[in-house]
PDB file of all heavy atoms in Angstrom:
ATOM      1  N   PHE A 210       0.717  28.327 -10.184  1.00 92.00           N
ATOM      2  CA  PHE A 210       1.483  28.381  -8.909  1.00 92.00           C
ATOM      3  C   PHE A 210       2.862  27.596  -9.179  1.00 92.00           C
ATOM      4  O   PHE A 210       2.950  26.565  -9.708  1.00 92.00           O
ATOM      5  CB  PHE A 210       0.579  27.442  -7.883  1.00 92.00           C
ATOM      6  CG  PHE A 210      -0.659  28.030  -7.471  1.00 92.00           C
ATOM      7  CD1 PHE A 210      -1.798  27.901  -8.203  1.00 92.00           C
ATOM      8  CD2 PHE A 210      -0.719  28.731  -6.251  1.00 92.00           C
ATOM      9  CE1 PHE A 210      -3.015  28.504  -7.872  1.00 92.00           C
ATOM     10  CE2 PHE A 210      -1.853  29.349  -5.868  1.00 92.00           C
ATOM     11  CZ  PHE A 210      -3.053  29.235  -6.632  1.00 92.00           C
ATOM     12  N   ASP A 211       3.810  28.339  -8.704  1.00 94.00           N
ATOM     13  CA  ASP A 211       5.249  27.851  -8.734  1.00 94.00           C
ATOM     14  C   ASP A 211       5.332  26.714  -7.655  1.00 94.00           C
ATOM     15  O   ASP A 211       5.144  27.014  -6.519  1.00 94.00           O
ATOM     16  CB  ASP A 211       6.208  29.024  -8.425  1.00 94.00           C
ATOM     17  CG  ASP A 211       7.624  28.601  -8.758  1.00 94.00           C
ATOM     18  OD1 ASP A 211       7.968  27.369  -8.817  1.00 94.00           O
ATOM     19  OD2 ASP A 211       8.379  29.480  -8.961  1.00 94.00           O
ATOM     20  N   THR A 212       5.690  25.659  -8.037  1.00 96.00           N
ATOM     21  CA  THR A 212       5.822  24.438  -7.153  1.00 96.00           C
ATOM     22  C   THR A 212       7.185  24.330  -6.513  1.00 96.00           C
ATOM     23  O   THR A 212       7.420  23.475  -5.627  1.00 96.00           O
ATOM     24  CB  THR A 212       5.505  23.098  -7.856  1.00 96.00           C
ATOM     25  OG1 THR A 212       6.406  22.890  -8.855  1.00 96.00           O
ATOM     26  CG2 THR A 212       4.060  23.203  -8.405  1.00 96.00           C
ATOM     27  N   GLY A 213       8.199  24.991  -7.043  1.00 97.00           N
ATOM     28  CA  GLY A 213       9.592  24.861  -6.641  1.00 97.00           C
ATOM     29  C   GLY A 213      10.370  23.844  -7.492  1.00 97.00           C
ATOM     30  O   GLY A 213      11.492  23.498  -7.240  1.00 97.00           O
ATOM     31  N   ALA A 214       9.682  23.409  -8.509  1.00 98.00           N
ATOM     32  CA  ALA A 214      10.325  22.479  -9.558  1.00 98.00           C
ATOM     33  C   ALA A 214      11.394  23.253 -10.358  1.00 98.00           C
ATOM     34  O   ALA A 214      11.288  24.429 -10.489  1.00 98.00           O
ATOM     35  CB  ALA A 214       9.287  21.826 -10.487  1.00 98.00           C
ATOM     36  N   HIS A 215      12.401  22.492 -10.881  1.00 98.00           N
ATOM     37  CA  HIS A 215      13.411  23.121 -11.628  1.00 98.00           C
ATOM     38  C   HIS A 215      12.970  23.328 -13.081  1.00 98.00           C
ATOM     39  O   HIS A 215      13.395  24.212 -13.786  1.00 98.00           O
ATOM     40  CB  HIS A 215      14.773  22.309 -11.635  1.00 98.00           C
ATOM     41  CG  HIS A 215      15.251  22.166 -10.255  1.00 98.00           C
ATOM     42  ND1 HIS A 215      15.062  20.954  -9.495  1.00 98.00           N
ATOM     43  CD2 HIS A 215      16.002  23.045  -9.472  1.00 98.00           C
ATOM     44  CE1 HIS A 215      15.638  21.173  -8.250  1.00 98.00           C
ATOM     45  NE2 HIS A 215      16.226  22.447  -8.297  1.00 98.00           N
ATOM     46  N   LYS A 216      12.016  22.510 -13.533  1.00 98.00           N
ATOM     47  CA  LYS A 216      11.530  22.596 -14.866  1.00 98.00           C
ATOM     48  C   LYS A 216       9.997  22.235 -14.878  1.00 98.00           C
ATOM     49  O   LYS A 216       9.540  21.290 -14.061  1.00 98.00           O
ATOM     50  CB  LYS A 216      12.202  21.653 -15.813  1.00 98.00           C
ATOM     51  CG  LYS A 216      13.618  22.034 -16.125  1.00 98.00           C
ATOM     52  CD  LYS A 216      13.821  23.290 -16.825  1.00 98.00           C
ATOM     53  CE  LYS A 216      15.378  23.505 -17.114  1.00 98.00           C
ATOM     54  NZ  LYS A 216      15.622  24.758 -17.916  1.00 98.00           N
ATOM     55  N   ASN A 217       9.213  22.857 -15.656  1.00 98.00           N
ATOM     56  CA  ASN A 217       7.829  22.583 -15.844  1.00 98.00           C
ATOM     57  C   ASN A 217       7.705  21.812 -17.195  1.00 98.00           C
ATOM     58  O   ASN A 217       8.090  22.342 -18.270  1.00 98.00           O
ATOM     59  CB  ASN A 217       7.004  23.846 -15.888  1.00 98.00           C
ATOM     60  CG  ASN A 217       7.049  24.549 -14.486  1.00 98.00           C
ATOM     61  OD1 ASN A 217       6.716  23.971 -13.468  1.00 98.00           O
ATOM     62  ND2 ASN A 217       7.396  25.835 -14.474  1.00 98.00           N
ATOM     63  N   VAL A 218       7.006  20.739 -17.123  1.00 98.00           N
ATOM     64  CA  VAL A 218       6.767  19.886 -18.352  1.00 98.00           C
ATOM     65  C   VAL A 218       5.251  19.594 -18.384  1.00 98.00           C
ATOM     66  O   VAL A 218       4.644  19.265 -17.436  1.00 98.00           O
ATOM     67  CB  VAL A 218       7.435  18.525 -18.200  1.00 98.00           C
ATOM     68  CG1 VAL A 218       7.076  17.666 -19.436  1.00 98.00           C
ATOM     69  CG2 VAL A 218       8.972  18.782 -18.203  1.00 98.00           C
ATOM     70  N   MET A 219       4.648  19.912 -19.573  1.00 97.00           N
ATOM     71  CA  MET A 219       3.205  19.691 -19.775  1.00 97.00           C
ATOM     72  C   MET A 219       3.069  18.661 -20.819  1.00 97.00           C
ATOM     73  O   MET A 219       3.861  18.539 -21.800  1.00 97.00           O
ATOM     74  CB  MET A 219       2.499  20.988 -20.014  1.00 97.00           C
ATOM     75  CG  MET A 219       2.689  21.527 -21.442  1.00 97.00           C
ATOM     76  SD  MET A 219       1.263  22.646 -21.843  1.00 97.00           S
ATOM     77  CE  MET A 219      -0.133  21.489 -21.934  1.00 97.00           C
ATOM     78  N   ILE A 220       1.903  17.920 -20.713  1.00 97.00           N
ATOM     79  CA  ILE A 220       1.478  16.916 -21.613  1.00 97.00           C
ATOM     80  C   ILE A 220       0.237  17.328 -22.380  1.00 97.00           C
ATOM     81  O   ILE A 220      -0.705  17.810 -21.757  1.00 97.00           O
ATOM     82  CB  ILE A 220       1.331  15.575 -20.904  1.00 97.00           C
ATOM     83  CG1 ILE A 220       2.572  15.007 -20.458  1.00 97.00           C
ATOM     84  CG2 ILE A 220       0.622  14.553 -21.870  1.00 97.00           C
ATOM     85  CD1 ILE A 220       2.438  13.720 -19.641  1.00 97.00           C
ATOM     86  N   LEU A 221       0.234  17.191 -23.733  1.00 98.00           N
ATOM     87  CA  LEU A 221      -1.002  17.409 -24.547  1.00 98.00           C
ATOM     88  C   LEU A 221      -1.055  16.111 -25.362  1.00 98.00           C
ATOM     89  O   LEU A 221      -0.196  15.867 -26.148  1.00 98.00           O
ATOM     90  CB  LEU A 221      -0.870  18.633 -25.388  1.00 98.00           C
ATOM     91  CG  LEU A 221      -1.901  18.871 -26.441  1.00 98.00           C
ATOM     92  CD1 LEU A 221      -3.239  19.115 -25.736  1.00 98.00           C
ATOM     93  CD2 LEU A 221      -1.677  19.972 -27.305  1.00 98.00           C
ATOM     94  N   SER A 222      -2.161  15.370 -25.178  1.00 97.00           N
ATOM     95  CA  SER A 222      -2.340  14.159 -25.977  1.00 97.00           C
ATOM     96  C   SER A 222      -3.111  14.455 -27.241  1.00 97.00           C
ATOM     97  O   SER A 222      -3.953  15.416 -27.389  1.00 97.00           O
ATOM     98  CB  SER A 222      -3.166  13.156 -25.141  1.00 97.00           C
ATOM     99  OG  SER A 222      -4.447  13.548 -24.890  1.00 97.00           O
ATOM    100  N   VAL A 223      -2.798  13.576 -28.309  1.00 97.00           N
ATOM    101  CA  VAL A 223      -3.465  13.839 -29.584  1.00 97.00           C
ATOM    102  C   VAL A 223      -4.979  13.843 -29.538  1.00 97.00           C
ATOM    103  O   VAL A 223      -5.679  14.716 -30.171  1.00 97.00           O
ATOM    104  CB  VAL A 223      -2.904  12.705 -30.529  1.00 97.00           C
ATOM    105  CG1 VAL A 223      -3.844  12.566 -31.759  1.00 97.00           C
ATOM    106  CG2 VAL A 223      -1.447  12.926 -30.899  1.00 97.00           C
ATOM    107  N   PRO A 224      -5.619  12.953 -28.710  1.00 97.00           N
ATOM    108  CA  PRO A 224      -7.098  12.995 -28.667  1.00 97.00           C
ATOM    109  C   PRO A 224      -7.697  14.383 -28.166  1.00 97.00           C
ATOM    110  O   PRO A 224      -8.919  14.583 -28.379  1.00 97.00           O
ATOM    111  CB  PRO A 224      -7.416  11.836 -27.768  1.00 97.00           C
ATOM    112  CG  PRO A 224      -6.293  10.957 -27.897  1.00 97.00           C
ATOM    113  CD  PRO A 224      -5.125  11.773 -28.014  1.00 97.00           C
ATOM    114  N   GLU A 225      -6.820  15.116 -27.482  1.00 97.00           N
ATOM    115  CA  GLU A 225      -7.319  16.373 -26.878  1.00 97.00           C
ATOM    116  C   GLU A 225      -7.530  17.483 -27.960  1.00 97.00           C
ATOM    117  O   GLU A 225      -8.255  18.447 -27.746  1.00 97.00           O
ATOM    118  CB  GLU A 225      -6.425  16.922 -25.842  1.00 97.00           C
ATOM    119  CG  GLU A 225      -6.496  16.017 -24.579  1.00 97.00           C
ATOM    120  CD  GLU A 225      -5.395  16.552 -23.513  1.00 97.00           C
ATOM    121  OE1 GLU A 225      -5.739  17.490 -22.805  1.00 97.00           O
ATOM    122  OE2 GLU A 225      -4.265  15.967 -23.494  1.00 97.00           O
ATOM    123  N   GLY A 226      -6.818  17.358 -28.992  1.00 96.00           N
ATOM    124  CA  GLY A 226      -6.929  18.344 -30.099  1.00 96.00           C
ATOM    125  C   GLY A 226      -5.759  19.332 -30.099  1.00 96.00           C
ATOM    126  O   GLY A 226      -5.123  19.609 -29.118  1.00 96.00           O
ATOM    127  N   ASP A 227      -5.482  19.870 -31.285  1.00 97.00           N
ATOM    128  CA  ASP A 227      -4.311  20.828 -31.487  1.00 97.00           C
ATOM    129  C   ASP A 227      -4.640  22.260 -31.166  1.00 97.00           C
ATOM    130  O   ASP A 227      -3.862  23.140 -31.359  1.00 97.00           O
ATOM    131  CB  ASP A 227      -3.751  20.675 -32.879  1.00 97.00           C
ATOM    132  CG  ASP A 227      -4.815  20.889 -33.999  1.00 97.00           C
ATOM    133  OD1 ASP A 227      -5.714  21.705 -33.784  1.00 97.00           O
ATOM    134  OD2 ASP A 227      -4.693  20.240 -35.148  1.00 97.00           O
ATOM    135  N   ASP A 228      -5.939  22.528 -30.704  1.00 96.00           N
ATOM    136  CA  ASP A 228      -6.314  23.888 -30.447  1.00 96.00           C
ATOM    137  C   ASP A 228      -6.153  24.292 -28.978  1.00 96.00           C
ATOM    138  O   ASP A 228      -6.451  25.372 -28.609  1.00 96.00           O
ATOM    139  CB  ASP A 228      -7.819  24.097 -30.813  1.00 96.00           C
ATOM    140  CG  ASP A 228      -8.733  23.194 -29.948  1.00 96.00           C
ATOM    141  OD1 ASP A 228      -8.236  22.280 -29.363  1.00 96.00           O
ATOM    142  OD2 ASP A 228      -9.955  23.365 -30.065  1.00 96.00           O
ATOM    143  N   LYS A 229      -5.542  23.410 -28.196  1.00 96.00           N
ATOM    144  CA  LYS A 229      -5.456  23.745 -26.723  1.00 96.00           C
ATOM    145  C   LYS A 229      -4.525  24.930 -26.440  1.00 96.00           C
ATOM    146  O   LYS A 229      -4.745  25.704 -25.559  1.00 96.00           O
ATOM    147  CB  LYS A 229      -4.975  22.451 -25.925  1.00 96.00           C
ATOM    148  CG  LYS A 229      -6.059  21.366 -25.865  1.00 96.00           C
ATOM    149  CD  LYS A 229      -7.294  21.891 -25.170  1.00 96.00           C
ATOM    150  CE  LYS A 229      -8.297  20.791 -25.124  1.00 96.00           C
ATOM    151  NZ  LYS A 229      -9.004  20.573 -26.493  1.00 96.00           N
ATOM    152  N   PRO A 230      -3.479  25.190 -27.177  1.00 97.00           N
ATOM    153  CA  PRO A 230      -2.646  26.361 -27.009  1.00 97.00           C
ATOM    154  C   PRO A 230      -3.484  27.665 -27.139  1.00 97.00           C
ATOM    155  O   PRO A 230      -3.097  28.588 -26.515  1.00 97.00           O
ATOM    156  CB  PRO A 230      -1.556  26.275 -28.049  1.00 97.00           C
ATOM    157  CG  PRO A 230      -1.409  24.765 -28.441  1.00 97.00           C
ATOM    158  CD  PRO A 230      -2.872  24.223 -28.281  1.00 97.00           C
ATOM    159  N   LEU A 231      -4.429  27.609 -27.958  1.00 96.00           N
ATOM    160  CA  LEU A 231      -5.295  28.771 -28.161  1.00 96.00           C
ATOM    161  C   LEU A 231      -6.244  28.955 -26.922  1.00 96.00           C
ATOM    162  O   LEU A 231      -6.601  30.109 -26.617  1.00 96.00           O
ATOM    163  CB  LEU A 231      -6.147  28.675 -29.398  1.00 96.00           C
ATOM    164  CG  LEU A 231      -5.405  28.462 -30.694  1.00 96.00           C
ATOM    165  CD1 LEU A 231      -6.366  28.203 -31.847  1.00 96.00           C
ATOM    166  CD2 LEU A 231      -4.421  29.573 -31.033  1.00 96.00           C
ATOM    167  N   LYS A 232      -6.582  27.952 -26.295  1.00 95.00           N
ATOM    168  CA  LYS A 232      -7.546  27.929 -25.198  1.00 95.00           C
ATOM    169  C   LYS A 232      -6.927  28.142 -23.832  1.00 95.00           C
ATOM    170  O   LYS A 232      -7.451  28.651 -22.909  1.00 95.00           O
ATOM    171  CB  LYS A 232      -8.443  26.717 -25.217  1.00 95.00           C
ATOM    172  CG  LYS A 232      -9.305  26.573 -26.465  1.00 95.00           C
ATOM    173  CD  LYS A 232     -10.083  25.334 -26.327  1.00 95.00           C
ATOM    174  CE  LYS A 232     -11.125  25.179 -27.558  1.00 95.00           C
ATOM    175  NZ  LYS A 232     -11.952  23.889 -27.543  1.00 95.00           N
ATOM    176  N   TYR A 233      -5.746  27.553 -23.734  1.00 96.00           N
ATOM    177  CA  TYR A 233      -5.046  27.646 -22.304  1.00 96.00           C
ATOM    178  C   TYR A 233      -3.654  28.146 -22.574  1.00 96.00           C
ATOM    179  O   TYR A 233      -2.635  27.434 -22.247  1.00 96.00           O
ATOM    180  CB  TYR A 233      -5.012  26.226 -21.735  1.00 96.00           C
ATOM    181  CG  TYR A 233      -6.288  25.521 -21.636  1.00 96.00           C
ATOM    182  CD1 TYR A 233      -6.817  24.634 -22.563  1.00 96.00           C
ATOM    183  CD2 TYR A 233      -7.233  25.910 -20.514  1.00 96.00           C
ATOM    184  CE1 TYR A 233      -8.018  24.010 -22.466  1.00 96.00           C
ATOM    185  CE2 TYR A 233      -8.468  25.293 -20.450  1.00 96.00           C
ATOM    186  CZ  TYR A 233      -8.913  24.281 -21.360  1.00 96.00           C
ATOM    187  OH  TYR A 233     -10.150  23.802 -21.314  1.00 96.00           O
ATOM    188  N   PRO A 234      -3.441  29.377 -22.990  1.00 96.00           N
ATOM    189  CA  PRO A 234      -2.154  29.915 -23.308  1.00 96.00           C
ATOM    190  C   PRO A 234      -1.121  29.977 -22.119  1.00 96.00           C
ATOM    191  O   PRO A 234       0.028  29.790 -22.344  1.00 96.00           O
ATOM    192  CB  PRO A 234      -2.478  31.416 -23.843  1.00 96.00           C
ATOM    193  CG  PRO A 234      -3.841  31.693 -23.301  1.00 96.00           C
ATOM    194  CD  PRO A 234      -4.566  30.380 -23.243  1.00 96.00           C
ATOM    195  N   LEU A 235      -1.700  30.275 -20.839  1.00 95.00           N
ATOM    196  CA  LEU A 235      -0.694  30.390 -19.733  1.00 95.00           C
ATOM    197  C   LEU A 235       0.061  29.018 -19.579  1.00 95.00           C
ATOM    198  O   LEU A 235       1.182  29.132 -19.304  1.00 95.00           O
ATOM    199  CB  LEU A 235      -1.517  30.704 -18.460  1.00 95.00           C
ATOM    200  CG  LEU A 235      -0.695  30.836 -17.231  1.00 95.00           C
ATOM    201  CD1 LEU A 235       0.317  31.948 -17.445  1.00 95.00           C
ATOM    202  CD2 LEU A 235      -1.415  31.119 -16.000  1.00 95.00           C
TER     203      LEU A 235
END
Side-chain angles (χ1 to χ4, degrees):
F210 294 87
D211 191 340
T212 62
H215 299 102
K216 297 290 182 180
N217 293 307
V218 176
M219 74 160 293
I220 290 175
L221 173 65
S222 67
V223 165
E225 292 176 84
D227 55 31
D228 61 347
K229 291 299 178 289
L231 304 176
K232 296 180 177 181
Y233 305 99
L235 179 60

